[in-house]
């Protein structure tokens, strides 16, 4: 009499497939977790800046997530662009990532504007591209206002408003 | 249980336990190679030896290299280059070897394309070969990061940055991949792990598979002739060596390979000793600085063709203009470039299936295919040259045309080869 092997095959395949799925799933989760940024990295990914200490009408550079962030505290309304600048207390503030939108070089502050040494791009004090190859204004990083501080790395309603304007 | 008999010497002793005589026959003395081949058939051994040189020089470098953003640059440029005895030699061998292995891989690939060695029963050889190309590319990229110079850093930034364009999860994926919000220590150590363990082990495994996949269909020959290996090997073993169309892998074929290898090694060590600068980008002798971008970022020469395809598409394409749906968002240039880049790196895997003709013959005997072959080669050389030029003015247009030509050639391949097949059928009737 021939032995019916259907059950054995079902059992064999079930074992094989569940073992494979378990191993790959476990390994996947393990690798995912191990390669996640460390707690110290995540902590350094949120930076609080005290606005009262900033110099007026000159950019202050802060290193945040490996990139320079320019913050300019302004009291001269001629240099304020309401679509790009945020009002906190008595002053307007321009906040932007100091990385040229052309090819990522870092522009330098020269005579009331940012000038990029690599390909000659220029941005005004609110980060709007005014000359040369840059295709768009400097990027505004995510920020949140907390009392008289700006917290970089968290999203606040003022940031959402600027980005959507 | 095997029959117990008197053991006669060490080989006999091993043979009883490991069947070494049978193994030697299968792998060497009765592994048959056609006589009708040329020096291009030696590239496999040349690659194997280059890989071994990379492996050994890599071990020596590993003895002093420090995978840490604060120490890496000096461990290479001071400790290894100035203090370690022969450290400069290992580094130059490793850098020159990495460059040359790609040159020989390209020669090896285009030899296979020219002689149709990817077709009919040899598909797995081609596919494992392409797997090796991809793994070697990953190996070269991860290794380039380790000296932690400016070009290491910014090449790593640009290439890992590509993953930001993955839909939906892009930004999170990028942070996960780098282990930080920018290329940093965590990035260096994990690519170090890939470069010195996971990728070399994978390469060795795939090489074994690549060799194994050759054993059954055998090596192709200059005319694409289908050889009856049983019959021809019988002639050889019976003493009709002159009549037989085949020779033994060892010692016959290998002795000729070693001649080609010797010539190659003379050039290799000439470059290592005297002309290594082509493999040592001056920008990389400045330590990595995440706040300073080099004016031009470009990969090593062997990645330039696919890099040029990546940036060849420099304008956004409006999705709906041709059907009057202007409101649809534009497809950004970056997305198109990425898709083309993915296409370029994947399409070679499909070559055995895109070629619809059954003819195994050198390109010059296949009509339109020979034109296709040279167009592909010339196009890839043009892409390589323009990949290094800054993306300005006319360069953008040339890059775009060359990229489109590359894609067009692979779309044309099935059409050309179906025509060839039909013509072949008509002639057979």
């Amino acid at each position: 009499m021939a032995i019916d092997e259907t059950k054995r095959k079902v059992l064999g395949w079930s074992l094989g497939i569940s073992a494979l799925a378990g191993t790959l799933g476990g390994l996947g989760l393990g690798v995912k977790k191990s390669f996640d940024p460390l707690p110290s990295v995540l902590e350094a990914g949120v930076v609080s800046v005290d606005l009262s200490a900033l110099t007026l009408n000159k950019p202050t550079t802060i290193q945040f997530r490996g990139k320079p962030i320019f913050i300019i505290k302004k009291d001269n309304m001629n240099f304020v662009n309401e679509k790009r600048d945020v009002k906190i207390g008595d002053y307007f503030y321009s906040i932007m990532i100091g990385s040229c939108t052309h090819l990522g070089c870092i522009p330098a502050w020269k005579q009331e504007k940012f000038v990029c040494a690599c390909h000659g791009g220029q941005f005004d004090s609110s980060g709007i591209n005014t000359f040369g190859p840059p295709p768009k204004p400097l990027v505004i990083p995510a920020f949140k206002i907390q009392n008289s501080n700006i917290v970089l790395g968290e999203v606040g309603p003022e940031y959402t408003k600027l980005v959507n304007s | 249980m095997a029959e117990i008999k008197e053991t006669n010497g060490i080989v006999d002793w091993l043979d009883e336990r490991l069947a070494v005589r049978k193994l030697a026959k299968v792998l060497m003395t009765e592994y048959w190679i056609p006589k009708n081949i040329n020096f291009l058939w030696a590239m496999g051994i040349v690659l194997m030896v280059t890989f071994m040189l990379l492996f050994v020089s890599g071990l020596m470098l590993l003895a002093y290299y420090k995978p840490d953003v604060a120490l890496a640059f000096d461990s290479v440029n001071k400790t290894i280059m100035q203090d370690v005895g022969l450290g400069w030699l290992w580094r130059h061998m490793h850098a020159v070897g990495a460059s040359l292995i790609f040159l020989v891989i390209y020669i090896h690939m285009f030899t296979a394309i020219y002689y149709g060695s990817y077709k009919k029963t040899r598909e797995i050889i081609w596919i494992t070969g392409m797997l090796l190309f991809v793994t070697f590319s990953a190996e070269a990229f991860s290794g380039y990061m380790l000296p932690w110079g400016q070009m290491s850093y910014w090449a790593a930034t640009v290439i890992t940055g590509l993953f930001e364009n993955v839909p939906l999860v892009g930004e999170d994926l990028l942070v996960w991949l780098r282990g930080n919000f920018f290329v940093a220590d965590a990035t260096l150590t994990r690519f170090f792990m890939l470069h010195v363990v996971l990728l070399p082990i994978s390469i060795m495994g795939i090489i074994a598979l690549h060799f194994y996949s050759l054993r059954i269909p055998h090596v192709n020959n200059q005319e694409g002739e289908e050889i009856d290996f049983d019959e021809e090997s019988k002639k050889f073993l019976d003493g009709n060596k002159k009549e037989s169309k085949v020779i033994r892998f060892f010692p016959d074929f290998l002795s000729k390979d070693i001649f080609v290898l010797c010539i190659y090694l003379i050039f290799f060590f000439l470059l290592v000793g005297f002309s290594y600068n082509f493999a040592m980008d001056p920008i990389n002798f400045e330590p990595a600085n995440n706040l300073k971008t080099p004016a031009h970022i470009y990969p090593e020469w062997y990645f330039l063709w696919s890099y040029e395809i990546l940036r060849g598409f420099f304008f956004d394409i409006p999705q709906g203009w041709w059907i009057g749906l202007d409101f649809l968002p534009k497809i950004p240039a970056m997305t198109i470039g990425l898709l083309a880049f993915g296409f370029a790196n994947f399409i070679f895997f499909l070559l055995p299936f895109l070629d619809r003709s059954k003819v195994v013959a050198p390109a010059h005997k296949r009509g339109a295919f020979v034109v296709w072959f040279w167009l592909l080669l010339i196009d890839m050389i043009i892409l390589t040259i323009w990949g290094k030029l800054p993306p300005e003015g006319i360069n953008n247009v040339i890059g775009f045309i060359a990229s489109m030509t590359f894609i067009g050639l692979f779309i044309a391949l099935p059409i050309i080869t179906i025509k060839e097949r039909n013509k072949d059928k008509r002639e057979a009737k």
Side-chain angles (χ1 to χ4, degrees):
Chain A
M1 199 186 87
I3 299 167
D4 182 6
E5 292 199 349
T6 320
K7 260 193 206 168
R8 286 184 197 176
K9 275 187 185 161
V10 169
L11 281 173
W13 278 101
S14 314
L15 176 66
I17 290 170
S18 52
L20 190 70
T23 312
L24 290 183
L27 188 66
L29 283 175
V31 173
K32 156 80 179 74
K33 207 95 182 100
S34 268
F35 274 32
D36 270 340
L38 305 179
S40 57
V41 168
L42 290 176
E43 211 174 284
V46 177
V47 171
S48 184
V49 183
D50 182 5
L51 295 178
S52 59
L54 300 183
T55 344
L56 257 179
N57 298 321
K58 264 188 189 160
T60 304
T61 308
I62 289 147
Q63 230 200 96
F64 168 69
R65 295 187 178 180
K67 288 193 188 111
I69 306 286
F70 300 149
I71 304 180
I72 310 181
K73 185 180 190 175
K74 298 174 179 174
D75 64 351
N76 185 344
M77 282 308 286
N78 292 333
F79 292 114
V80 169
N81 179 341
E82 305 241 6
K83 286 189 167 178
R84 297 271 310 173
D85 300 349
V86 59
K87 191 165 190 212
I88 307 167
D90 300 335
Y91 301 104
F92 278 89
Y93 295 86
S94 304
I95 307 162
M96 54 224 154
I97 300 178
S99 166
C100 179
T101 49
H102 177 224
L103 286 170
C105 297
I106 299 165
W109 181 250
K110 271 177 198 164
Q111 296 162 347
E112 311 300 306
K113 63 188 176 213
F114 293 106
V115 180
C116 185
C118 293
H119 302 96
Q122 293 183 6
F123 303 88
D124 68 13
S125 68
S126 295
I128 305 276
N129 47 319
T130 51
F131 180 79
K136 56 182 186 183
L138 293 176
V139 177
I140 302 177
F143 69 89
K144 195 174 84 175
I145 297 169
Q146 208 168 50
N147 307 324
S148 68
N149 283 6
I150 283 180
V151 181
L152 294 168
E154 284 180 9
V155 177
E158 295 82 2
Y159 166 72
T160 322
K161 208 181 122 200
L162 281 189
V163 172
N164 291 334
S165 69
Chain B
M1 190 70 199
E3 191 190 338
I4 306 294
K5 58 179 172 76
E6 189 71 14
T7 305
N8 191 8
I10 178 88
V11 177
D12 222 29
W13 189 86
L14 285 173
D15 194 44
E16 275 178 11
R17 284 153 185 83
L18 299 172
V20 287
R21 289 202 178 96
K22 174 89 190 196
L23 188 71
K25 275 187 181 177
V26 170
L27 295 182
M28 314 233 291
T29 55
E30 290 188 16
Y31 171 31
W32 304 100
I33 306 290
K35 280 181 184 170
N36 185 18
I37 55 176
N38 59 42
F39 78 97
L40 289 167
W41 268 254
M43 294 306 138
I45 296 294
V46 170
L47 282 172
M48 190 68 212
V49 171
T50 312
F51 179 61
M52 281 151 79
L53 290 171
L54 283 166
F55 190 83
V56 172
S57 55
L59 284 180
M60 295 298 133
L61 295 170
L62 190 52
Y64 288 95
Y65 175 74
K66 294 194 169 64
D68 181 304
V69 291
L71 306 170
F73 186 84
D74 285 345
S75 77
V76 174
N77 289 301
K78 182 175 185 304
T79 313
I80 291 173
M81 288 305 281
Q82 296 175 35
D83 300 345
V84 176
L86 293 183
W88 61 271
L89 176 69
W90 306 125
R91 191 189 183 194
H92 288 171
M93 275 172 70
H94 212 66
V96 168
S99 213
L100 283 190
I101 207 163
F102 276 93
L103 177 68
V104 186
I105 284 176
Y106 285 131
I107 296 174
H108 199 53
M109 264 174 79
F110 275 93
T111 305
I113 299 176
Y114 191 88
Y115 291 100
S117 308
Y118 52 89
K119 295 166 73 160
K120 201 182 63 180
T121 73
R122 295 198 178 92
E123 295 93 334
I124 307 284
I125 308 172
W126 176 263
I127 291 167
T128 50
M130 280 311 300
L131 270 178
L132 279 172
F133 175 74
V134 171
T135 345
F136 266 112
S137 300
E139 180 72 353
F141 170 68
S142 55
Y144 198 76
M145 199 185 293
L146 304 186
W148 210 243
Q150 272 292 65
M151 203 51 112
S152 300
Y153 186 87
W154 289 97
T157 300
V158 171
I159 299 300
T160 55
L162 294 179
F163 288 89
E164 198 177 8
N165 297 287
V166 172
L168 303 174
V169 293
E171 275 178 46
D172 293 330
L173 178 66
L174 183 61
V175 173
W176 179 77
L177 202 69
R178 290 174 174 171
N180 204 324
F181 299 102
F182 57 111
V183 173
D185 195 61
T187 327
L188 176 64
T189 47
R190 64 186 56 177
F191 277 87
F192 172 70
M193 175 274 284
L194 290 177
H195 185 74
V196 303
V197 185
L198 187 59
L199 291 170
I201 288 182
S202 310
I203 285 173
M204 286 180 230
I206 306 171
I207 288 177
L209 193 61
H210 192 57
F211 286 178
Y212 173 41
S213 66
L214 262 170
R215 188 62 183 77
I216 305 300
H218 289 89
V219 175
N220 194 12
N221 54 72
Q222 279 195 95
E223 300 301 322
E225 183 191 353
E226 221 174 298
I227 292 172
D228 184 337
F229 282 90
D230 290 334
E231 196 182 313
E232 297 302 326
S233 60
K234 193 166 177 298
K235 277 187 206 163
F236 187 97
L237 291 173
D238 288 346
N240 298 328
K241 294 188 181 178
K242 208 168 180 183
E243 260 175 56
S244 174
K245 288 177 180 170
V246 297
I247 48 171
R248 293 166 295 183
F249 175 77
F250 178 89
D252 314 331
F253 171 71
L254 216 52
S255 61
K256 298 205 173 193
D257 262 14
I258 287 169
F259 173 72
V260 178
L261 185 65
C262 288
I263 292 175
Y264 166 78
L265 287 178
I266 291 171
F267 279 106
F268 183 94
F269 282 102
L270 265 174
L271 292 175
V272 166
F274 303 101
S275 303
Y276 45 80
N277 274 336
F278 76 97
M280 298 276 194
D281 198 292
I283 296 173
N284 222 22
F285 285 93
E286 194 182 319
N289 180 352
N290 63 305
L291 294 179
K292 191 182 155 214
T293 324
H296 293 297
I297 305 171
Y298 44 81
E300 288 289 274
W301 72 268
Y302 40 84
F303 289 142
L304 287 172
W305 69 272
S306 54
Y307 184 66
E308 184 61 14
I309 291 178
L310 173 70
R311 57 178 204 172
F313 297 86
F314 59 96
F315 46 83
D316 301 346
I317 294 183
Q319 292 188 50
W321 62 271
W322 50 283
I323 40 173
L325 300 174
D326 293 330
F327 56 87
L328 287 174
K330 285 183 175 182
I331 308 173
M334 195 63 205
T335 310
I336 306 163
L338 263 180
L339 288 173
F341 180 71
F343 175 88
N345 282 289
F346 180 69
I347 198 66
F348 274 106
F349 278 93
L350 296 184
L351 192 63
F353 313 105
L354 291 175
D355 187 335
R356 309 304 302 164
S357 162
K358 289 201 173 73
V359 185
V360 181
H364 62 263
K365 292 190 176 164
R366 287 182 62 191
F369 183 81
V370 73
V371 180
W372 184 88
F373 174 87
W374 288 112
L375 278 180
L376 179 68
L377 187 60
I378 292 166
D379 190 47
M380 284 178 75
I381 291 172
I382 290 175
L383 285 167
T384 301
I385 295 170
W386 261 267
K388 184 116 187 195
L389 299 178
E392 296 158 359
I394 190 77
N395 291 346
N396 285 332
V397 181
I398 293 171
F400 174 70
I401 293 171
S403 304
M404 286 302 284
T405 309
F406 181 87
I407 295 170
L409 278 170
F410 278 93
I411 294 171
L413 182 60
I415 304 167
I416 291 170
T417 49
I418 284 172
K419 276 192 175 162
E420 185 184 339
R421 188 178 65 190
N422 293 343
K423 186 169 160 256
D424 217 51
K425 269 187 198 158
R426 278 198 301 278
E427 277 168 9
K429 270 176 194 172

